[in-house]
Amino acid sequence: MASLRDLFANMDQNATVTPVVFLAVFHMAFPRFAEKSQDGLVARSICKHGSKCFGGHYVVTLKNTEAEDEPETKSIEKFLHLSCFISNHEVKYLLSGLKYSISGESVTKFSPTLQKDCLYTKRSLINRLPAYLTIEIMRYEYKGKEAKILKEIKFSMNLDVFELCTPELQEKLSPMRTKFKEYEDKIVDIGRVPKSGHEGAIEKTEKPKFKHPYSFADDIGSNNSGYYDLQAVLTHKGRNIASGHNVGWIRKSKDAWYQCNDDNVNMVTTEDILKLSGGGDWHCAYLLLYGPRILESDEPF
């Protein structure tokens, strides 16, 4: 912890930091991350629950559009990211792009009923949410050559994916969502209580004492509310995929962000991040990383 503290302090004071000391201490504390394969490459050591923190599940339903009496088929598919397709001219917001991406896709497959290839409607709903949700905004398409879609796709600091989930998962998410609402209502009510002997409202100065789990007890690395907060953004500046420049933007605190432009690291604000939605020659977001929104309260539930 001391090494990590010193690293963060060094990052605050210097634009460029090489974390040699932290890496050495980290390797001593967790030797598996220092293991090397026979060809000298660092082995990919993933913690026990690491893949669960970024991977989710879909329930995929296929319906034959040419044979109404053919039963729907359902299957489970895993994902490591969600795709936000934006080629539809009506898609202007991240959530609407996600909805468009999981509903009504057409696929061709062999029909056991008609004994021929038929057109099926494919619909997907999420039945497991990972703690960390990666979203790719599909800005690149092929039209004789690879082209970039520059249109503006608005995203926010907060994301609620409840509508993208199966009814079964929605039911599981509801208890924690209710707790979020109850606590938010409580804070609003506190703000309306007059101060003793004075006009005005009580000012809340103490930080919440309790952080509640963001995963289901029986599913480490999941998200138990459907609520997310933006943690990082990857952008591209340029007219096409073969040229331009990529930049990373990483959240430090509520309104403070790091802009990581090669070896230049600068502080920016939330307002700067929201300008990365595209629509021109400025940086266009194409990869978003959302982390779990954590419920903090003054007392345990």
Side-chain angles (χ1 to χ4, degrees):
M1 290 300 293
S3 177
L4 184 61
R5 177 202 62 205
D6 294 341
L7 173 62
F8 284 143
N10 196 9
M11 290 171 63
D12 286 337
Q13 297 172 7
N14 301 282
T16 304
V17 175
T18 304
V20 177
V21 175
F22 171 74
L23 190 60
V25 173
F26 184 79
H27 283 168
M28 289 188 349
F30 304 98
R32 287 193 62 191
F33 285 87
E35 293 176 0
K36 293 181 180 293
S37 60
Q38 292 181 352
D39 57 4
L41 297 176
V42 177
R44 292 185 178 182
S45 300
I46 302 176
C47 65
K48 181 179 179 181
H49 302 297
S51 60
K52 291 187 175 182
C53 291
F54 293 91
H57 301 157
Y58 282 126
V59 171
V60 179
T61 303
L62 290 173
K63 176 62 179 176
N64 192 338
T65 61
E66 300 176 37
E68 290 296 326
D69 57 339
E70 182 176 309
E72 292 182 342
T73 61
K74 292 187 177 183
S75 61
I76 301 294
E77 291 185 5
K78 296 181 179 180
F79 67 83
L80 289 174
H81 74 278
L82 299 183
S83 297
C84 176
F85 290 98
I86 62 175
S87 55
N88 186 324
H89 70 278
E90 295 181 358
V91 174
K92 299 178 181 179
Y93 298 90
L94 180 68
L95 190 58
S96 60
L98 291 174
K99 291 179 182 178
Y100 170 69
S101 302
I102 68 172
S103 63
E105 179 185 358
S106 296
V107 297
T108 301
K109 66 184 293 288
F110 183 77
S111 167
T113 302
L114 301 180
Q115 291 294 300
K116 67 173 186 176
D117 287 342
C118 293
L119 199 62
Y120 284 74
T121 300
K122 178 182 178 181
R123 291 184 174 84
S124 305
L125 288 174
I126 299 170
N127 75 331
R128 183 194 186 269
L129 285 170
Y132 293 88
L133 189 62
T134 304
I135 299 175
E136 182 181 6
I137 301 176
M138 309 301 288
R139 289 199 173 275
Y140 302 104
E141 59 182 355
Y142 191 80
K143 293 183 177 179
K145 62 178 182 179
E146 288 180 316
K148 180 179 177 182
I149 304 174
L150 295 171
K151 68 183 291 186
E152 182 179 24
I153 300 297
K154 292 185 179 295
F155 59 89
S156 62
M157 292 294 109
N158 312 117
L159 181 66
D160 181 4
V161 295
F162 187 78
E163 295 178 63
L164 308 181
C165 300
T166 63
E168 293 78 13
L169 181 55
Q170 289 180 344
E171 186 176 354
K172 289 179 63 179
L173 298 174
S174 293
M176 181 55 72
R177 294 171 67 87
T178 298
K179 291 179 181 180
F180 268 102
K181 186 177 186 307
E182 288 175 349
Y183 185 67
E184 290 165 0
D185 289 345
K186 179 180 177 181
I187 296 302
V188 171
D189 289 340
I190 289 176
R192 292 172 178 169
V193 176
K195 294 180 182 178
S196 178
H198 301 277
E199 293 184 357
I202 295 176
E203 295 182 2
K204 186 175 178 58
T205 57
E206 294 185 3
K207 292 184 178 180
K209 301 175 183 178
F210 296 93
K211 289 186 177 182
H212 299 273
Y214 56 79
S215 295
F216 292 111
D218 60 351
D219 187 5
I220 303 300
S222 63
N223 180 301
N224 62 8
S225 68
Y227 293 134
Y228 290 90
D229 292 328
L230 188 62
Q231 301 296 328
V233 182
L234 191 60
T235 62
H236 178 264
K237 185 179 181 182
R239 286 279 172 172
N240 59 70
I241 192 172
S243 62
H245 187 60
N246 293 294
V247 173
W249 314 71
I250 304 171
R251 193 172 200 164
K252 177 189 177 185
S253 57
K254 184 176 181 180
D255 191 46
W257 288 72
Y258 292 117
Q259 179 199 48
C260 304
N261 187 353
D262 292 334
D263 57 353
N264 296 317
V265 180
N266 301 303
M267 296 298 300
V268 296
T269 67
T270 298
E271 184 179 355
D272 297 310
I273 300 301
L274 294 176
K275 293 178 181 178
L276 305 175
S277 56
D281 290 331
W282 185 236
H283 294 276
C284 292
Y286 69 91
L287 204 63
L288 307 171
L289 177 64
Y290 283 89
R293 190 180 306 172
I294 299 175
L295 177 60
E296 299 183 76
S297 63
D298 299 321
E299 55 188 24
F301 291 118

